[in-house]
Amino acid sequence: MKKLIGIILSAVMVMSLAACGGASQGTAQPGILVMATNAEFPPYEYHEGSRIVGIDAEIAAAIAEKMGCELVIEDIAFDSIIPEVVSAKADMGMAGMTVTEDRMQNVDFSTTYAVARQVVIVAEGSGITSLADLEGRVIGVQQGTTGDIYATDEFGDDFIERYSKGMEAVQALVQGKIDAVIIDNEPARVFVSENPGLIILDEAYADEEYAIAVRKGNTALLEAINNALEELKNDGTLDEIVSRYISTE
Ligand code: GLN
Protein backbone atom coordinates (compact mmCIF):
# COMPACT_ATOMS: atom_id res chain seq x y z
CA MET A 1 0.00 0.00 0.00
CA LYS A 2 2.80 2.37 0.97
CA LYS A 3 4.58 1.53 -2.23
CA LEU A 4 1.44 2.27 -4.24
CA ILE A 5 1.01 5.65 -2.55
CA GLY A 6 4.65 6.35 -3.33
CA ILE A 7 4.13 5.56 -6.98
CA ILE A 8 1.01 7.72 -7.14
CA LEU A 9 2.79 10.58 -5.39
CA SER A 10 5.73 10.50 -7.75
CA ALA A 11 3.40 10.27 -10.72
CA VAL A 12 1.58 13.37 -9.45
CA MET A 13 4.92 15.12 -8.97
CA VAL A 14 6.06 14.26 -12.48
CA MET A 15 2.73 15.48 -13.83
CA SER A 16 2.93 18.76 -12.00
CA LEU A 17 6.55 19.21 -13.08
CA ALA A 18 5.52 18.65 -16.67
CA ALA A 19 2.64 21.06 -16.23
CA CYS A 20 5.02 23.76 -14.98
CA GLY A 21 6.81 23.58 -18.29
CA GLY A 22 9.96 22.09 -19.73
CA ALA A 23 12.42 24.82 -18.84
CA SER A 24 12.23 24.05 -15.14
CA GLN A 25 12.83 20.33 -15.55
CA GLY A 26 16.27 19.15 -14.66
CA THR A 27 16.99 22.25 -12.64
CA ALA A 28 17.37 22.35 -8.88
CA GLN A 29 14.02 24.07 -8.57
CA PRO A 30 11.19 21.91 -9.79
CA GLY A 31 7.72 23.35 -10.16
CA ILE A 32 8.84 26.62 -11.67
CA LEU A 33 7.17 28.30 -14.61
CA VAL A 34 9.64 30.57 -16.40
CA MET A 35 8.07 33.48 -18.29
CA ALA A 36 10.23 35.42 -20.72
CA THR A 37 9.17 39.00 -21.27
CA ASN A 38 10.45 42.47 -22.10
CA ALA A 39 9.47 44.69 -19.20
CA GLU A 40 9.44 47.94 -21.20
CA PHE A 41 5.83 47.73 -22.25
CA PRO A 42 3.43 49.43 -19.86
CA PRO A 43 0.73 48.64 -18.83
CA TYR A 44 1.44 44.98 -19.77
CA GLU A 45 4.90 44.63 -18.22
CA TYR A 46 7.14 47.23 -16.70
CA HIS A 47 9.41 47.86 -13.75
CA GLU A 48 8.09 49.23 -10.50
CA GLY A 49 11.15 49.53 -8.30
CA SER A 50 12.81 46.14 -8.48
CA ARG A 51 9.57 44.36 -9.36
CA ILE A 52 8.07 43.58 -12.74
CA VAL A 53 4.38 44.43 -12.69
CA GLY A 54 1.59 44.85 -15.22
CA ILE A 55 -1.31 43.00 -16.80
CA ASP A 56 0.80 40.17 -18.23
CA ALA A 57 2.77 39.74 -15.00
CA GLU A 58 -0.46 39.43 -13.03
CA ILE A 59 -2.20 37.12 -15.48
CA ALA A 60 0.94 34.94 -15.52
CA ALA A 61 0.97 34.84 -11.71
CA ALA A 62 -2.70 33.79 -11.70
CA ILE A 63 -2.00 31.07 -14.30
CA ALA A 64 0.99 29.80 -12.32
CA GLU A 65 -1.09 29.71 -9.15
CA LYS A 66 -3.80 27.66 -10.86
CA MET A 67 -1.14 25.27 -12.14
CA GLY A 68 0.51 25.02 -8.73
CA CYS A 69 3.77 26.43 -10.09
CA GLU A 70 6.04 29.18 -8.94
CA LEU A 71 6.34 31.98 -11.50
CA VAL A 72 9.77 33.32 -12.40
CA ILE A 73 9.87 36.31 -14.78
CA GLU A 74 12.90 36.82 -17.02
CA ASP A 75 13.35 40.27 -18.53
CA ILE A 76 15.08 40.06 -21.92
CA ALA A 77 15.06 41.83 -25.30
CA PHE A 78 11.72 41.47 -27.09
CA ASP A 79 13.26 39.74 -30.10
CA SER A 80 14.98 37.17 -27.82
CA ILE A 81 11.71 35.94 -26.32
CA ILE A 82 10.73 33.49 -29.06
CA PRO A 83 14.30 32.08 -29.35
CA GLU A 84 14.32 31.50 -25.55
CA VAL A 85 11.01 29.66 -25.77
CA VAL A 86 12.19 27.61 -28.75
CA SER A 87 15.41 26.63 -26.95
CA ALA A 88 13.46 25.81 -23.74
CA LYS A 89 15.29 28.39 -21.63
CA ALA A 90 11.85 29.79 -20.89
CA ASP A 91 8.58 27.89 -20.62
CA MET A 92 6.45 30.65 -22.04
CA GLY A 93 6.76 34.01 -23.71
CA MET A 94 4.29 36.63 -22.54
CA ALA A 95 4.93 40.19 -23.62
CA GLY A 96 1.88 41.73 -25.22
CA MET A 97 2.90 39.42 -28.01
CA THR A 98 0.85 39.53 -31.17
CA VAL A 99 -0.14 36.27 -32.82
CA THR A 100 1.25 36.24 -36.36
CA GLU A 101 1.55 33.57 -39.05
CA ASP A 102 5.34 33.92 -39.03
CA ARG A 103 5.65 33.45 -35.29
CA MET A 104 3.34 30.44 -35.51
CA GLN A 105 6.04 28.72 -37.59
CA ASN A 106 8.27 28.74 -34.51
CA VAL A 107 5.99 28.60 -31.48
CA ASP A 108 2.48 27.57 -30.49
CA PHE A 109 0.14 30.23 -29.12
CA SER A 110 -2.41 29.98 -26.34
CA THR A 111 -5.93 31.27 -26.79
CA THR A 112 -5.85 35.06 -27.06
CA TYR A 113 -6.35 37.13 -23.93
CA ALA A 114 -6.41 40.69 -25.30
CA VAL A 115 -7.14 42.62 -28.46
CA ALA A 116 -4.81 45.42 -29.44
CA ARG A 117 -3.89 47.63 -32.34
CA GLN A 118 -0.84 49.31 -33.73
CA VAL A 119 -1.22 53.09 -33.60
CA VAL A 120 0.79 56.06 -34.79
CA ILE A 121 2.20 58.67 -32.39
CA VAL A 122 3.22 62.05 -33.82
CA ALA A 123 4.10 65.46 -32.45
CA GLU A 124 1.19 67.88 -32.15
CA GLY A 125 1.05 70.19 -35.16
CA SER A 126 3.41 68.01 -37.20
CA GLY A 127 1.09 68.04 -40.20
CA ILE A 128 0.82 64.25 -40.07
CA THR A 129 -2.88 63.59 -39.59
CA SER A 130 -3.42 60.28 -41.39
CA LEU A 131 -1.58 57.12 -42.37
CA ALA A 132 -1.17 58.50 -45.90
CA ASP A 133 0.94 61.35 -44.48
CA LEU A 134 3.55 58.84 -43.27
CA GLU A 135 4.89 58.38 -46.80
CA GLY A 136 8.51 59.58 -46.92
CA ARG A 137 8.68 60.17 -43.16
CA VAL A 138 11.03 58.50 -40.67
CA ILE A 139 9.19 56.09 -38.41
CA GLY A 140 10.50 54.81 -35.07
CA VAL A 141 9.64 51.32 -33.85
CA GLN A 142 10.68 48.81 -31.24
CA GLN A 143 12.97 46.22 -32.80
CA GLY A 144 11.29 42.95 -33.76
CA THR A 145 7.74 44.00 -32.93
CA THR A 146 4.83 43.84 -35.32
CA GLY A 147 5.08 47.64 -35.63
CA ASP A 148 8.63 47.11 -36.95
CA ILE A 149 7.68 44.22 -39.23
CA TYR A 150 4.62 45.88 -40.80
CA ALA A 151 6.17 49.34 -41.17
CA THR A 152 9.38 47.95 -42.70
CA ASP A 153 7.26 45.99 -45.14
CA GLU A 154 5.22 49.00 -46.13
CA PHE A 155 7.68 51.90 -46.05
CA GLY A 156 11.05 50.18 -46.55
CA ASP A 157 14.13 49.87 -44.36
CA ASP A 158 15.40 53.38 -45.16
CA PHE A 159 12.46 54.99 -43.42
CA ILE A 160 12.56 52.90 -40.24
CA GLU A 161 14.55 53.63 -37.07
CA ARG A 162 14.71 50.70 -34.64
CA TYR A 163 15.06 51.05 -30.87
CA SER A 164 15.40 48.38 -28.22
CA LYS A 165 12.67 50.01 -26.11
CA GLY A 166 9.45 51.65 -27.27
CA MET A 167 10.13 54.52 -24.84
CA GLU A 168 13.41 55.27 -26.63
CA ALA A 169 11.55 55.64 -29.92
CA VAL A 170 9.13 58.03 -28.20
CA GLN A 171 12.04 60.03 -26.79
CA ALA A 172 13.54 60.32 -30.28
CA LEU A 173 10.18 61.64 -31.48
CA VAL A 174 10.08 64.21 -28.67
CA GLN A 175 13.60 65.34 -29.69
CA GLY A 176 12.51 65.69 -33.31
CA LYS A 177 14.90 63.00 -34.56
CA ILE A 178 12.07 61.02 -36.16
CA ASP A 179 8.60 61.90 -37.46
CA ALA A 180 6.37 59.21 -35.98
CA VAL A 181 6.32 56.10 -33.78
CA ILE A 182 4.29 52.98 -34.56
CA ILE A 183 3.55 51.02 -31.42
CA ASP A 184 0.77 49.16 -29.58
CA ASN A 185 -2.16 51.30 -28.42
CA GLU A 186 -1.94 50.87 -24.65
CA PRO A 187 1.82 51.57 -24.33
CA ALA A 188 1.21 54.47 -26.73
CA ARG A 189 -1.37 55.93 -24.33
CA VAL A 190 1.05 55.59 -21.41
CA PHE A 191 3.98 57.17 -23.30
CA VAL A 192 1.84 60.02 -24.66
CA SER A 193 0.47 60.78 -21.19
CA GLU A 194 4.06 61.03 -19.92
CA ASN A 195 5.27 63.27 -22.77
CA PRO A 196 3.35 66.48 -23.43
CA GLY A 197 3.12 67.57 -27.07
CA LEU A 198 2.44 64.12 -28.53
CA ILE A 199 -0.79 62.78 -29.97
CA ILE A 200 -2.10 59.45 -31.26
CA LEU A 201 -3.68 59.42 -34.72
CA ASP A 202 -7.33 58.32 -34.76
CA GLU A 203 -6.65 56.03 -37.70
CA ALA A 204 -5.20 52.74 -36.41
CA TYR A 205 -2.42 51.02 -38.30
CA ALA A 206 -3.29 47.34 -37.62
CA ASP A 207 -5.58 45.26 -35.43
CA GLU A 208 -4.09 42.36 -33.53
CA GLU A 209 -4.48 39.90 -30.68
CA TYR A 210 -2.13 38.98 -27.84
CA ALA A 211 -1.42 35.41 -26.72
CA ILE A 212 1.15 33.39 -24.79
CA ALA A 213 3.86 31.58 -26.76
CA VAL A 214 5.07 28.09 -25.81
CA ARG A 215 7.51 25.69 -27.42
CA LYS A 216 6.02 23.90 -30.41
CA GLY A 217 4.56 20.56 -29.38
CA ASN A 218 4.55 21.36 -25.65
CA THR A 219 0.86 20.47 -25.56
CA ALA A 220 0.75 19.67 -21.83
CA LEU A 221 1.83 23.20 -20.99
CA LEU A 222 -0.34 24.76 -23.70
CA GLU A 223 -3.41 22.94 -22.40
CA ALA A 224 -2.65 23.88 -18.80
CA ILE A 225 -2.28 27.54 -19.82
CA ASN A 226 -5.45 27.50 -21.92
CA ASN A 227 -7.44 25.87 -19.13
CA ALA A 228 -6.18 28.41 -16.62
CA LEU A 229 -6.91 31.30 -19.01
CA GLU A 230 -10.42 29.99 -19.58
CA GLU A 231 -11.06 29.86 -15.83
CA LEU A 232 -9.62 33.35 -15.33
CA LYS A 233 -11.83 34.70 -18.12
CA ASN A 234 -14.94 33.01 -16.73
CA ASP A 235 -14.46 33.96 -13.09
CA GLY A 236 -13.80 37.62 -13.94
CA THR A 237 -10.15 37.65 -12.77
CA LEU A 238 -8.88 38.67 -16.19
CA ASP A 239 -11.22 41.66 -16.45
CA GLU A 240 -10.44 42.63 -12.90
CA ILE A 241 -6.67 42.66 -13.61
CA VAL A 242 -7.13 44.66 -16.82
CA SER A 243 -9.39 47.21 -15.11
CA ARG A 244 -6.71 47.95 -12.54
CA TYR A 245 -4.28 48.97 -15.30
CA ILE A 246 -6.47 50.36 -18.07
CA SER A 247 -9.14 52.98 -17.47
CA THR A 248 -11.94 52.86 -20.00
CA GLU A 249 -12.79 56.57 -19.73
N1 GLN B 1 2.48 43.47 -29.90
C1 GLN B 1 3.75 43.76 -30.49
C2 GLN B 1 4.36 42.49 -31.02
O1 GLN B 1 3.99 41.44 -30.65
C3 GLN B 1 4.71 44.46 -29.51
C4 GLN B 1 5.00 43.71 -28.27
C5 GLN B 1 6.03 44.36 -27.38
O2 GLN B 1 6.70 45.32 -27.75
N2 GLN B 1 6.20 43.87 -26.19
O3 GLN B 1 5.26 42.54 -31.83
Side-chain angles (χ1 to χ4, degrees):
M1 194 55 182
K2 258 191 186 150
K3 200 172 169 195
L4 186 61
I5 290 172
I7 290 169
I8 292 170
L9 274 182
S10 50
V12 168
M13 270 179 68
V14 167
M15 272 172 63
S16 63
L17 277 184
C20 289
S24 57
Q25 285 176 44
T27 70
Q29 294 168 291
I32 288 177
L33 183 69
V34 180
M35 159 181 163
T37 196
N38 175 242
E40 303 292 342
F41 199 70
Y44 288 94
E45 42 267 323
Y46 57 100
H47 293 273
E48 201 173 81
S50 59
R51 288 186 340 125
I52 292 171
V53 298
I55 295 170
D56 286 348
E58 292 209 25
I59 294 174
I63 291 172
E65 194 186 334
K66 286 211 179 286
M67 288 168 56
C69 310
E70 186 196 330
L71 178 71
V72 170
I73 301 181
E74 259 189 30
D75 183 21
I76 57 176
F78 182 77
D79 56 1
S80 298
I81 296 172
I82 287 182
E84 289 246 321
V85 169
V86 170
S87 65
K89 285 195 192 117
D91 298 308
M92 65 179 195
M94 191 175 190
M97 187 178 283
T98 304
V99 179
T100 71
E101 290 291 327
D102 273 354
R103 290 174 181 165
M104 281 166 72
Q105 307 291 315
N106 297 309
V107 289
D108 288 339
F109 280 104
S110 70
T111 50
T112 60
Y113 63 88
V115 290
R117 61 169 68 112
Q118 296 294 311
V119 296
V120 183
I121 309 175
V122 295
E124 238 166 346
S126 69
I128 303 173
T129 57
S130 69
L131 294 177
D133 295 334
L134 288 175
E135 202 60 51
R137 305 291 192 131
V138 180
I139 301 163
V141 295
Q142 185 186 5
Q143 168 111 8
T145 61
T146 45
D148 179 7
I149 296 160
Y150 303 155
T152 304
D153 233 30
E154 185 169 348
F155 302 102
D157 227 21
D158 290 352
F159 295 96
I160 305 301
E161 284 291 333
R162 300 190 178 87
Y163 300 86
S164 60
K165 303 173 183 179
M167 187 60 194
E168 289 170 0
V170 172
Q171 233 113 55
L173 177 64
V174 170
Q175 292 160 6
K177 292 180 182 158
I178 56 175
D179 301 307
V181 171
I182 295 183
I183 194 164
D184 302 51
N185 55 322
E186 290 303 335
R189 282 179 50 182
V190 174
F191 295 147
V192 165
S193 75
E194 290 169 351
N195 293 276
L198 299 182
I199 53 165
I200 298 171
L201 296 189
D202 289 336
E203 202 178 347
Y205 187 59
D207 290 313
E208 9 190 76
E209 288 184 318
Y210 294 163
I212 300 170
V214 302
R215 194 166 64 259
K216 260 195 172 304
N218 194 353
T219 42
L221 179 60
L222 192 64
E223 274 170 26
I225 289 173
N226 280 340
N227 289 340
L229 269 178
E230 177 80 15
E231 284 176 32
L232 296 169
K233 279 177 193 168
N234 292 340
D235 71 10
T237 306
L238 210 105
D239 285 342
E240 184 271 321
I241 292 172
V242 171
S243 71
R244 274 190 284 113
Y245 287 91
I246 298 177
S247 72
T248 43
E249 289 142 39

